[in-house]
Amino acid sequence: MMQECSMRDKIKPGVYAILSAVALCISGRFSVTVSGWAKLAAELSGEKEQAFVIVILLMILYRKSWSIYISGRKWITHILAVCFSCCMLIGKSFSQTGDIKFIFGDIKQFCIAAIVFWGFYILFDVAITLLYVYINEKSEEKEKSIKIKWIEEHYFAFSFLCMLLCWSPYILCYLPGSVPHDGYWQLNMAFGINPLTNHHPWVITFIYGVVMRIGRYISDNFGIFMIVAIFTVIEILCYASVCNSLKKWGASKKVYIGTLVFFSVVPAFGGYAQAVIKDNIFTALLALFFIIYIDICIQHGKNIEIKKMVILFLVGMMVCLSRNNGVYIVIPSMVCLTLYVQKERSRYVILLICLMVCYQGLEGYVAPQLGVEKGSVKEVLSIPFQQTARYIKEYPEEVTLKEKKAINDILSYDGIKENYNPEISDFVKNTFREGSEDKLDEYFKVWFEMFLKHPMVYIEATLNNTFSYYYPFYNEKVLGDYQFYIKGAPVATGYFDIHYITPVKIRTVLAEYAQIWKKVPGFSQLVDPGFYTWILLLLAGYLIYRKRTRDILLLIGPAINILICIASPVNGLLRYALPLMACTPLLIYLTVREEKESETEGENRPL
């Protein structure tokens, strides 16, 4: 009996390695071949050398680590493995075919998908378990301090200089700065060319207007350069504070130096710094907010200075005002903070109330007094509009006259049929008939009736417009990741004279460098939104793995950014995920640091 168990234990890793290799080598395409084996063969990528290497490496990994995996796995690793496997199936299907046929094409296809799911499940369950065991058993050896004394004593200044140096090529090569669609629109609003609305954050719009007016005494280009320069300095100050805070809190050298390299080298930060766009400053301010937030959480058992709470309030307000959806991250984060702290909780409740009242006062009273109009309701309806558009595209003959009228009262029915793009809702949203808000009730009645007839169409529409936020291996994005352009007509009306002063060849080289990151394995994940979703899930899973569920409260704010991305109009847009990217080093530290604390102060604190 023992020999049978021993033989089974030896065979299992090899069989599972082959299943995982099949999962990794599957293409995600749907084959119409009738035979099940022929379908599987057609859908495998066919790259024999790659498949052979994968099988060998997985066999070695599984055989070497199988006993550690068996003893270290827990229910949370199984759940995460299921989640990641589902993400892989959805991502492979929609990235290849734009629908869910790879999973539900027919019964034989479903069997193939089940095999692939099981292969991914084993791979992720083993990998996550080994990762958690490694973190749990990592050595506590003391690290040597940085050898260069000046760097050791002036790490903030060193971080600032490193980022400034690494971002400078983007700033200099794209002088005076790129002005993409959103940034140009805000400039137009600041100068009265377009109506002033809160579709874009009106505070940032006013700041753009003030700086641009000062710069225009020299030239329009100089005004753009002033905006880029001022905001870049603020952003670097925020990110340098992240690096310095990690060092001050006692993070390992790998963490705080790795964070500096992350902000300096990954093109998502320097590449966006040269553009006039709201996402840059919002991301940096959110990172600054979480520095203060985490500092308070680290000291939750101590009395927190009023000064620090005031700073948290001020930075939180700046985050809320620098992007419209910032309030949906800050307010829930503050609610979680009031639940997390153990001393003087009433102070944080008062802080939360003050934040909500002040924000509502600025948005509800001050903004209208300044002539800021409300943005269009269409901006929050990306998901239902895409679902309607896909239904019309796939089942036009089933749309009744009543349904067509209800839809056409809100959106251009013919425009939807012509312009529907499964990965960006703007083409459908732009057909929205302003002033038709009173007809939305009738539209949603029809929307629900259509859902009951073909629910899978709605599911596919949503997944097709969101899958890249949880599938970190999709490079063919519907919109470019970077804002390396100056918007032309009709947004550019001729009122401003903004143009690059550097040769196009230099700009092309730098843009190609940024784009190549998307193609290099490993590097490509660093500029992919889905990767940071996975990291956040892994961090939450590790907290559960260590039975520290209360600490998950501190991840809820950043997690909301993922939900905002899913509700956004574009699939997998890098700039929408920038806030979570910038906060990730802090969240990793928080998880690891709290682990060290629990080892010395006791395993668990009650939820």
Side-chain angles (χ1 to χ4, degrees), residues 192-252:
I193 300 169
N194 296 125
L196 180 60
T197 73
N198 67 354
H199 172 61
H200 299 292
W202 58 272
V203 173
I204 301 298
T205 299
F206 276 116
I207 294 172
Y208 283 172
V210 170
V211 177
M212 188 67 176
R213 282 182 172 88
I214 295 171
R216 291 190 84 201
Y217 283 107
I218 297 176
S219 70
D220 289 344
N221 268 359
F222 190 73
I224 295 299
F225 174 73
M226 283 184 64
I227 293 173
V228 170
I230 291 171
F231 279 75
T232 295
V233 169
I234 296 172
E235 291 156 28
I236 294 179
L237 286 171
C238 292
Y239 297 139
S241 297
V242 172
C243 300
N244 191 55
S245 294
L246 289 171
K247 184 178 184 301
K248 182 180 67 176
W249 293 336
S252 72

Side-chain angles (χ1 to χ4, degrees), residues 257-267 269 526 532 581-585:
I257 291 180
T259 300
L260 174 57
V261 173
F262 174 70
F263 285 128
S264 300
V265 176
V266 175
F269 299 101
L526 292 175
Y532 297 92
M581 290 177 60
C583 293
T584 294

Side-chain angles (χ1 to χ4, degrees), residues 105-322:
D106 53 44
I107 186 62
K108 292 177 181 177
Q109 187 66 46
F110 182 78
C111 292
I112 292 174
I115 293 171
V116 173
F117 174 86
W118 185 249
F120 276 129
Y121 171 80
I122 295 297
L123 175 66
F124 289 127
D125 202 31
V126 171
I128 294 168
T129 301
L130 295 180
L131 174 65
Y132 287 174
V133 169
Y134 170 76
I135 297 174
N136 196 37
E137 297 179 354
K138 63 186 181 300
S139 66
E140 297 292 337
E141 296 179 3
K142 292 184 178 180
E143 294 182 316
K144 296 179 181 179
S145 60
I146 299 174
K147 292 182 179 180
I148 301 174
K149 187 178 180 181
W150 186 90
I151 296 177
E152 176 72 19
E153 295 177 352
H154 303 88
Y155 195 66
F156 176 85
F158 176 71
S159 299
F160 182 92
L161 293 173
C162 283
M163 279 183 261
L164 184 62
L165 179 65
C166 292
W167 293 11
S168 291
Y170 298 99
I171 307 295
L172 297 175
C173 289
Y174 282 88
L175 284 173
S178 296
V179 189
H181 180 280
D182 287 4
Y184 218 122
W185 196 271
Q186 284 186 267
L187 287 175
N188 286 347
M189 288 196 297
F191 282 80
I193 300 169
N194 296 125
L196 180 60
T197 73
N198 67 354
H199 172 61
H200 299 292
W202 58 272
V203 173
I204 301 298
T205 299
F206 276 116
I207 294 172
Y208 283 172
V210 170
V211 177
M212 188 67 176
R213 282 182 172 88
I214 295 171
R216 291 190 84 201
Y217 283 107
I218 297 176
S219 70
D220 289 344
N221 268 359
F222 190 73
I224 295 299
F225 174 73
M226 283 184 64
I227 293 173
V228 170
I230 291 171
F231 279 75
T232 295
V233 169
I234 296 172
E235 291 156 28
I236 294 179
L237 286 171
C238 292
Y239 297 139
S241 297
V242 172
C243 300
N244 191 55
S245 294
L246 289 171
K247 184 178 184 301
K248 182 180 67 176
W249 293 336
S252 72
K253 192 190 303 183
K254 292 178 182 178
V255 171
Y256 67 77
I257 291 180
T259 300
L260 174 57
V261 173
F262 174 70
F263 285 128
S264 300
V265 176
V266 175
F269 299 101
Y272 269 91
Q274 56 79 43
V276 177
I277 195 164
K278 58 185 179 287
D279 303 85
N280 303 343
I281 192 66
F282 169 71
T283 299
L285 289 173
L286 187 65
L288 183 62
F289 172 80
F290 274 105
I291 292 172
I292 308 162
Y293 184 86
I294 290 173
D295 197 30
I296 290 174
C297 295
I298 289 172
Q299 304 176 57
H300 67 89
K302 304 175 184 178
N303 292 324
I304 303 299
E305 298 176 6
I306 296 295
K307 177 183 176 182
K308 188 171 292 185
M309 297 181 69
V310 171
I311 294 173
L312 182 67
F313 167 79
L314 293 175
V315 176
M317 281 299 301
M318 288 191 287
V319 172
C320 293
L321 295 172
S322 61

Side-chain angles (χ1 to χ4, degrees), residues 222-470:
F222 190 73
I224 295 299
F225 174 73
M226 283 184 64
I227 293 173
V228 170
I230 291 171
F231 279 75
T232 295
V233 169
I234 296 172
E235 291 156 28
I236 294 179
L237 286 171
C238 292
Y239 297 139
S241 297
V242 172
C243 300
N244 191 55
S245 294
L246 289 171
K247 184 178 184 301
K248 182 180 67 176
W249 293 336
S252 72
K253 192 190 303 183
K254 292 178 182 178
V255 171
Y256 67 77
I257 291 180
T259 300
L260 174 57
V261 173
F262 174 70
F263 285 128
S264 300
V265 176
V266 175
F269 299 101
Y272 269 91
Q274 56 79 43
V276 177
I277 195 164
K278 58 185 179 287
D279 303 85
N280 303 343
I281 192 66
F282 169 71
T283 299
L285 289 173
L286 187 65
L288 183 62
F289 172 80
F290 274 105
I291 292 172
I292 308 162
Y293 184 86
I294 290 173
D295 197 30
I296 290 174
C297 295
I298 289 172
Q299 304 176 57
H300 67 89
K302 304 175 184 178
N303 292 324
I304 303 299
E305 298 176 6
I306 296 295
K307 177 183 176 182
K308 188 171 292 185
M309 297 181 69
V310 171
I311 294 173
L312 182 67
F313 167 79
L314 293 175
V315 176
M317 281 299 301
M318 288 191 287
V319 172
C320 293
L321 295 172
S322 61
R323 209 177 199 285
N324 293 336
N325 53 34
V327 67
Y328 302 118
I329 298 177
V330 171
I331 297 299
S333 295
M334 294 300 297
V335 172
C336 292
L337 185 60
T338 61
L339 298 174
Y340 183 83
V341 294
Q342 294 177 329
K343 286 190 176 183
E344 299 183 350
R345 185 167 290 169
S346 59
R347 286 188 178 184
Y348 296 94
V349 173
I350 293 171
L351 185 65
L352 172 61
I353 294 172
C354 289
L355 192 61
M356 294 171 66
V357 170
C358 289
Y359 176 77
Q360 189 58 43
L362 286 171
E363 290 291 335
Y365 179 76
V366 175
Q369 292 297 315
L370 295 173
V372 181
E373 301 174 4
K374 288 186 177 180
S376 174
V377 69
K378 70 180 181 180
E379 301 304 330
V380 297
L381 297 175
S382 290
I383 292 176
F385 284 175
Q386 283 292 85
Q387 292 166 340
T388 296
R390 193 174 185 110
Y391 187 103
I392 293 171
K393 198 78 173 178
E394 295 196 9
Y395 298 100
E397 70 284 352
E398 295 189 26
V399 180
T400 65
L401 291 176
K402 174 192 170 184
E403 291 168 344
K404 183 175 181 179
K405 181 182 183 305
I407 295 169
N408 200 56
D409 285 342
I410 300 295
L411 304 164
S412 169
Y413 187 87
D414 294 331
I416 288 176
K417 293 175 67 175
E418 295 173 5
N419 299 319
Y420 171 65
N421 184 309
E423 293 190 51
I424 178 170
S425 68
D426 284 344
F427 300 120
V428 174
K429 284 196 311 179
N430 289 341
T431 70
F432 180 76
R433 303 186 192 280
E434 297 295 345
S436 63
E437 289 82 357
D438 59 327
K439 298 179 181 179
L440 279 172
D441 288 344
E442 189 62 31
Y443 162 76
F444 276 112
K445 287 179 184 177
V446 167
W447 172 86
F448 185 68
E449 291 170 2
M450 295 165 73
F451 165 74
L452 293 178
K453 287 192 284 185
H454 293 289
M456 186 57 72
V457 172
Y458 280 36
I459 293 171
E460 285 189 318
T462 304
L463 293 176
N464 209 161
N465 202 63
T466 61
F467 72 88
S468 192
Y469 290 116
Y470 39 86

Side-chain angles (χ1 to χ4, degrees), residues 431-571:
T431 70
F432 180 76
R433 303 186 192 280
E434 297 295 345
S436 63
E437 289 82 357
D438 59 327
K439 298 179 181 179
L440 279 172
D441 288 344
E442 189 62 31
Y443 162 76
F444 276 112
K445 287 179 184 177
V446 167
W447 172 86
F448 185 68
E449 291 170 2
M450 295 165 73
F451 165 74
L452 293 178
K453 287 192 284 185
H454 293 289
M456 186 57 72
V457 172
Y458 280 36
I459 293 171
E460 285 189 318
T462 304
L463 293 176
N464 209 161
N465 202 63
T466 61
F467 72 88
S468 192
Y469 290 116
Y470 39 86
Y471 175 66
F473 305 101
Y474 181 55
N475 291 326
E476 304 304 320
K477 304 295 171 66
V478 65
L479 290 181
D481 282 328
Y482 302 100
Q483 310 294 301
F484 296 135
Y485 70 96
I486 295 175
K487 184 65 177 178
V491 177
T493 62
Y495 184 85
F496 301 111
D497 180 17
I498 304 170
H499 56 275
Y500 290 123
I501 63 174
T502 51
V504 65
K505 288 184 179 180
I506 295 177
R507 288 183 271 124
T508 301
V509 169
L510 198 59
E512 289 173 347
Y513 163 76
Q515 292 297 335
I516 202 173
W517 275 67
K518 294 169 56 178
K519 304 296 183 181
V520 179
F523 284 18
S524 62
Q525 276 60 62
L526 292 175
V527 291
D528 193 294
F531 179 66
Y532 297 92
T533 300
W534 282 28
I535 289 179
L536 191 66
L537 289 173
L538 287 171
L539 294 177
Y542 182 70
L543 292 174
I544 296 172
Y545 187 85
R546 292 293 300 164
K547 299 180 181 178
R548 290 163 44 211
T549 51
R550 181 168 173 268
D551 293 345
I552 293 176
L553 285 169
L554 306 179
L555 303 182
I556 289 177
I560 290 174
N561 185 74
I562 299 171
L563 299 180
I564 292 171
C565 288
I566 289 173
S568 72
V570 186
N571 179 38

Side-chain angles (χ1 to χ4, degrees), residues 8-137:
R8 197 183 312 133
D9 290 341
K10 288 182 178 179
I11 293 174
K12 267 186 180 180
V15 173
Y16 286 156
I18 293 172
L19 281 174
S20 296
V22 168
L24 288 170
C25 294
I26 205 77
S27 67
R29 296 186 297 269
F30 171 69
S31 173
V32 294
T33 307
V34 176
S35 168
W37 291 113
K39 282 175 71 68
L40 178 60
E43 291 170 19
L44 286 169
S45 62
E47 297 176 3
K48 297 178 182 179
E49 299 87 351
Q50 175 184 318
F52 177 74
V53 172
I54 289 173
V55 168
I56 296 299
L57 291 178
L58 287 176
M59 282 186 174
I60 294 171
L61 173 65
Y62 287 3
R63 287 291 298 274
K64 291 282 186 182
S65 61
W66 199 252
S67 60
I68 300 174
Y69 161 63
I70 296 297
S71 61
R73 61 186 179 178
K74 293 185 180 180
W75 65 269
I76 186 59
T77 64
H78 303 331
I79 290 177
L80 286 174
V82 169
C83 289
F84 289 170
S85 300
C86 290
C87 290
M88 291 299 294
L89 287 180
I90 292 169
K92 279 183 172 290
S93 185
F94 281 95
S95 63
Q96 290 293 324
T97 63
D99 52 40
I100 208 163
K101 284 184 180 178
F102 175 70
I103 305 173
F104 298 112
D106 53 44
I107 186 62
K108 292 177 181 177
Q109 187 66 46
F110 182 78
C111 292
I112 292 174
I115 293 171
V116 173
F117 174 86
W118 185 249
F120 276 129
Y121 171 80
I122 295 297
L123 175 66
F124 289 127
D125 202 31
V126 171
I128 294 168
T129 301
L130 295 180
L131 174 65
Y132 287 174
V133 169
Y134 170 76
I135 297 174
N136 196 37
E137 297 179 354

